[in-house]
Every structure is written in structure tokens, then in C-alpha cells.
Amino acid sequence: MVTDEERDYMYRVYAHDQQARINLGIRRRLAPLLGNDRRRIELMNALLYSLPGTPIMYYGDELGMGDNFYLGDRNGVRTPMQWSADRNAGFSRANPQRLFLPIISDPEYNYETINVESQRTNRHSLWWFMRRLIALRKQHPAFGRGDITFLSPSNRRVLAFIRHYGDDHLLVVANLSRFVQFVELDLTAFKGWSAVELFGQTEFPPIGELPYLLTLGPHAFYWFGLRPLQEDGAGTPAPTASSAAPVQPLIVRGTWDAVLRGDGLVELQHRLAQFLPGCRWFGGKAMWIRTVLLSEQLPLHSGADLLAVITFLQVEFADGAADTYVVPLGFADGAAAQQIQQATPQAVVTPLRVRGKQGEVDGVLFDAMEDPRVSEALLHHILRRRPLRGNHGQLEPSTTKALRALAEPRDALRPVSVLRIQQSNTSVVFGQKLICKLFRRLQPGLNPELELGAFLTDNTDFANVAPVAGALIYEPTKGEPSSLAILQGFVRNEGDAWTFALGEIDRFLDQAVTHPEIPETPTASLLRLSRGKPPDLAREMLGSQLEWARLLGQRTAELHLALSSNADDPAFAPEPMGALAQRALYQSMRNLRAGTFRLARERLRYLPDAAAQLVREVLTLEPKVMKVLHGLLERRIVCTRMRCHGDFHLGQVLFTGKDFVIIDFEGEPARPLAERRRRQLALQDVAGMLRSFNYAAHTVLAQHVASGGDKATLEGWIRFWHAWVASAYLKAYLERAGAAPFLPRGSGDIDALLKIFLLEKCVYELAYELGNRPDWLHIPARGMFDLVGA
């Protein structure tokens, strides 16, 4: 079907050996055909999947498998599939001599190196590239159904064409040369539009009147989405998670769980990409979702009935590392489906139509943690220590000594209710006896919530913590186990300390505004204030608040004493703060400072005028911030590092009415698990709580100012409140900790470290508010001004 000249070229370039030819073609796999050049392999696959027609990939080409054309006929490309490095490449357990065709033994393509198992564990492998390529193609109907218009650039080494289908317009540019090339494309038909690179969702400069200039590396290619510019000059969003929710139901045959396999799985994964950003526990709301891949399924039964399937969703972002999220999926129809849609519409993944033996049934596929039966089934697996098997591993329950006392009597474990709070996980309460927390973001390794909670429960007498009763650990066939859920004793409480503090501050301000004079704001450091006695006015107006601040400081110190009490446990034994650890801590702060100030400059043009002016003032503080942080290297810190809470603030403490209970030891969820398990300085926890006092104070201040209160008067009283309440907390902490080795020996070191850690928290808060709540930027900004000077 080609000319003789074209066939001669094909033979000359791709089949030097006569035995590689067959009839009028070539009997070779793609990788050896292209000299095992990864760039050329990716380029040819990108062209195959972007040109008209149905792309067909021969088995093994997704790995870069080799061939053996000396076998004759077409048998050279019919060798056993290379699944693993096991016997016969994992293809068969038979005697190797009995195989119909031999496995590939060529050193360059040997099955021990090139196989599915090894490439699945390497996210930079060809297998992963092909998976992403196919998933991206399926998101754009123009690739499969669209028209094609070839462009004719002057550089003949660059192939460029546009695919059209409805409102979907895609530009494909491929460098067919082994050298760097540039190309000018005539895109005047799309003048004023933006070009968004599809793999990374990177927006290129808008298309204008001049030819569109691109440079390409050797054998490089681009897939662009062409979109009209919005009024603000930004391109329209990519068709990912931000797209409108689908209304057409998915259709499956047999049972509802058939949607998790077969042809329906691709569309389901696309709808999951739309579902995830609406979940309160999803941490990637600010990032583009490239693909969602279902990587594990663990069926959860109640007797013979399938209640749900616990799925692991591997979410790949356009920019940033991939994450794995846990989503139990269940199916509801009839009245149950209507109730879910009305009560918790955010839990609905997609409408689903099941065509079974009894006819069609319409319902919804939903997040099954909304179903109390699913939570009870998970609890049942923990209580009876029954594993739950999946495709690539299993859930192994574990229990502690505290389980029996907490789980009895069994009748008291009802009703079952899901906590409606903003957090990075899902918590279910069983009759105010137990609480089960499902970690939505799955990471290899032991979650600090489970590790620290179990240590405090089994190895210390620290009672102001929720006791750990059990857990669910996912153990893959190969790889490191992951913590999926933790079961704890439910602590009866009157709410968290954040809510309690807001109420106390509100009552304080109501009383303070009636006072005839505004108190003088203390200028000394918190450490210096903590050494003296509060003035009569503070004791008069802050009596009970000083007491609860002291109690919380005492409990914080007792927590640190408990966590540092076992020098024989390698995971908890305190370590000296050496010079290398000191420099590493400084470097992490330096990186945080650089990233935050860079983000502030980038976000400046998007902020409202008042917030933008505030950020400009903050940007002038960068040299002073750097100078304070550099103080960490200017003194030798003599103390120990230890396991700490890691994300300590008022929201992580429960108020029981007369005492405080510390919860949520999993650390900052946005940070990697290994980083959250590192030893820290105890004063970092203290600084976190002190900053939380400041946030609570300014939250109430903003409410009173919005209600018509005099801002200057209220600010004076808030500074007065924070100075004496925070110093009371610090004083109680230092007195209870005493001469503990996790505190620096000199008071000068404590004062300097507190300032450094408070400033670090302010910088972290500034980055958070820039991305989430610009109206709150004044709180970390004010903290930075106070610490380094205006």
C-alpha cells in the first residue's frame, strides 16, 4: 500500500537485516524498530494516538519489549509476554523447554529488566508514559472523532496539524528530527486564543497576528488545547475536575460493581476526576487533575451482600507528585438513592443504571462512608481481626490492650454517625464509645496518628489523649504497608479548644469595651512576661482565661514529657540537636521563606487592592525575616529533638468542660509522611499553639469590628489579651517541663528559638492564606511586623 521508493526507504532505515523483513513489511516490535530510543518511541506513540483512526498497540510495545525475528514467520513478535522477572517472565510456570516459543533472552530486552512488574513501580517508565498518554487521549473526543487540518510550516522537519471536534480544538506539533528545531505556525484562525499544553496544563502565550513560534527538542512533541481567552486574559479551564458534573448515567450490565472493570472503568475514572475536588478531604483542589486511575479494589461484604468496594484512586496532577486517595464506593437505588442525593449530594459520584436479570435499575454510585453499614462492617473487621483481601494486597486489622474496655458492651456502639467537620479524613462515631478515622490520603509508612497514639496508650500514663483501640493496615503484595484507618476511644467533650477560645475572647471584649481606659500593650517578649506576674487589670479581667491557658500549657508539657520518656524505643528515643540537624532545620526554613515570598510576588496581581498593598509591605520585610532565621546558625543549640505533635493548635485540642484532651497526631496532612515522622524541637509545638492564640484573637476582633466596634480600642484590648494569656500558657509549660532535655539550657536560647519558630509559622500561614483566604492575610502579616519590626 506504499510506493516502491517508500518501501525501499523503510527497509534501508528500519530493516538492515534481511531476516527482519517478511513479505512486503517488517516483523519487528516498536522498540527494536526504533533502536530502543525512548524519545523516538514516545514520539511515534504520540503520533499514533493523535492521528485519525483507531490506534492499535501490539502487546509488549507499552513496555518496550524486544523481539526475535530469527524464529521465522511472525513468531518473532509472538514471544511470551514479560509480566515479571520470575520464571518464564511470569508468563507460565511450565518447564522453559515446553514453551511454544522461547522468552526474549537478548541482553538489551531481557525479561528480568523489561517487565510489567518493574515498570509499574517506576513512575518514569515507558509503561506509565503510555498509560498517561492513553488516558489523556480518552479525555478529548477530537482525537478519536475529529477532523484533521494539516499545517504547512517552512521547517519540513516539524509535523503540525489541528484536530477539530465540536468545541474541542487540538494542536499537535512533532519534531521528526534528532536535532533541536524551531517552527513558525500560521494560527491566525485562532487569533486571541490561548494554547494550553495538555500534559502539564501549562498555558503558553496567547496567539496573535504573527506566526506562532515554538522550539522543540530532539524528537519532541506537543499536544495543545486551543481555547478562547476570557475577559481577564486567562484561558478557559481544561476539561478536568472543574468541569460540570455529568448528568447522563453510566450503564453497566450484571451487577453494579461491573462499573469498576471493563469498558465502563475509563468513563468512571473520568467522573471520579470531577468528583474529587468537591470532597472536603481532597488536598489537591488548587491543582489540575491530569488523570485518575483505579489502582486497588477491596470488596466489603455483609454476609452474601456486597456493601461497597474500597477503592484506591491514584490521582496524577499536571504539576506535582501523584497522590493516592481512599474512596469506598457503594450503590444505592430507590428511596436510598433519593435520600443520598438530597441529604449529601456531595457524596454522589455518578448516576448509574444497572441492567440485570430482573431488568433496569437506576441509582447512584456514591462515597460509601455515608452508609452506616459500611462503617459497621469496617469496625467488625477490626474487632474480629478479619483481613480484607484485594487485588494487590490486603487490609490487616490490629488491636491494642484498650480495645476490650472501649468496645463493651457492643450494644453501646450505636448509633453510627459521620462527623461533619472540615478535615483531611473521614471520622465515624460509634455510639459515643469509639471513633474510627479513615485516612483518605494513603501514603506508604505508619501514620503518626496511629504511631504516636498507640505509644501514648500502651507505654505512658499520659491520660489526656484519645486512647487507640485498633487500626486497619494495608499490606501490599510488594511494598511498604500503609495506615488506612485508626480506631480510638471517643472523648466526650464540649467542642474543640478553638471554639472554646473564641467564646472566651468574645466575652472578654464585651466586658473590655466598657472599661474607661485602653490598657498599655506590653512590649516585652512572651518569655520575659512569663517570668513576672500579670498586672492587677489582667488578673481582674482574665482570671478564668489565665487559668485555662495555664492548664493547656501544663498538658502540652506533659505530652512532650511522655513522648520523650522512652529512650529504648528507636522510633521515640530523643536525639541530640547536632550541628547538621541545626543546619538542616535552617535550610528548611530558608526554603519555606523563599517559596512563600515568591508566591506572594506571583499572587500580587490577583489580590484585591487592600490585600495587595498589605502584601507589598510584607515583601519589604524579606531581608529582616532572613536575618532572624539566620540566627538559628549563630548559636549552638544544646537540647534534644523528639517526636512531637507536629500540627499543634487549638483545633487539635478538645475541651471536656474541666480539662483538655489532645487529638489528631497525624501532623500537617499536606506534608509527606516521612517528614511528619521526623524528630523536631518541642518549642515548635509551643510556637504553633501561640500562633493559634493569635488567630483566635484576631478572628473575634474582626467580628466585633464588623459589628461596628471601634477598631483602635478593640485592637488595644486584643493585644492585651494575647500578651497575658499567651505568657500564662508559656509560663505553665516551662514550669511543668522543668529541666527536660528537650528545652535549651539558656533562657536566651529559648527566647531566640521561640522568635524564630513563631516567624516560621507566620511565613507558613502567609503562604496558606495567599492560596486560600486573602481576607485573612492581615493576621500572619501583623505577626511578621511584630516579630521583625515594621
Side-chain angles (χ1 to χ4, degrees), residues 3 8-9 35 56 105 112 144 168 170 279 348 360 395 439 454 607 685:
T3 65
D8 288 342
Y9 174 83
I56 297 175
S105 57
E112 291 185 347
D168 200 13
L170 307 174
C279 301
V348 177
E360 287 189 353
L395 279 181
F439 300 118
L607 296 173
D685 272 356

Side-chain angles (χ1 to χ4, degrees), residues 32 53 151 188 233 262 277 281 338 360 371 465 472 514 516 523 618:
L151 304 179
T188 52
W281 39 260
Q338 292 180 1
E360 287 189 353
D371 187 348
V465 65
L472 284 172
T514 64
T523 57
V618 170

Side-chain angles (χ1 to χ4, degrees), residues 343-410:
T344 54
Q346 71 278 2
V348 177
V349 176
T350 178
L352 188 64
R353 179 173 298 158
V354 181
R355 292 176 176 171
K357 295 180 180 179
Q358 306 300 323
E360 287 189 353
V361 177
D362 285 332
V364 293
L365 192 71
F366 69 104
D367 182 348
M369 288 306 292
E370 298 294 335
D371 187 348
R373 298 176 303 163
V374 171
S375 301
E376 288 183 316
L378 289 174
L379 177 62
H380 177 78
H381 278 271
I382 296 176
L383 295 179
R384 298 202 174 185
R385 304 197 66 173
R386 292 179 54 188
L388 192 64
R389 290 176 175 81
N391 295 337
H392 306 292
Q394 65 180 20
L395 279 181
E396 286 288 349
S398 65
T399 58
T400 68
K401 301 173 184 177
L403 176 63
R404 178 172 295 181
L406 293 170
E408 298 295 341
R410 297 294 174 89

Side-chain angles (χ1 to χ4, degrees), residues 658-673:
K658 58 181 180 180
D659 207 341
F660 293 102
V661 175
I662 301 171
I663 59 172
D664 288 343
F665 289 89
E666 60 177 312
E668 175 55 51
R671 296 183 177 178
L673 204 60

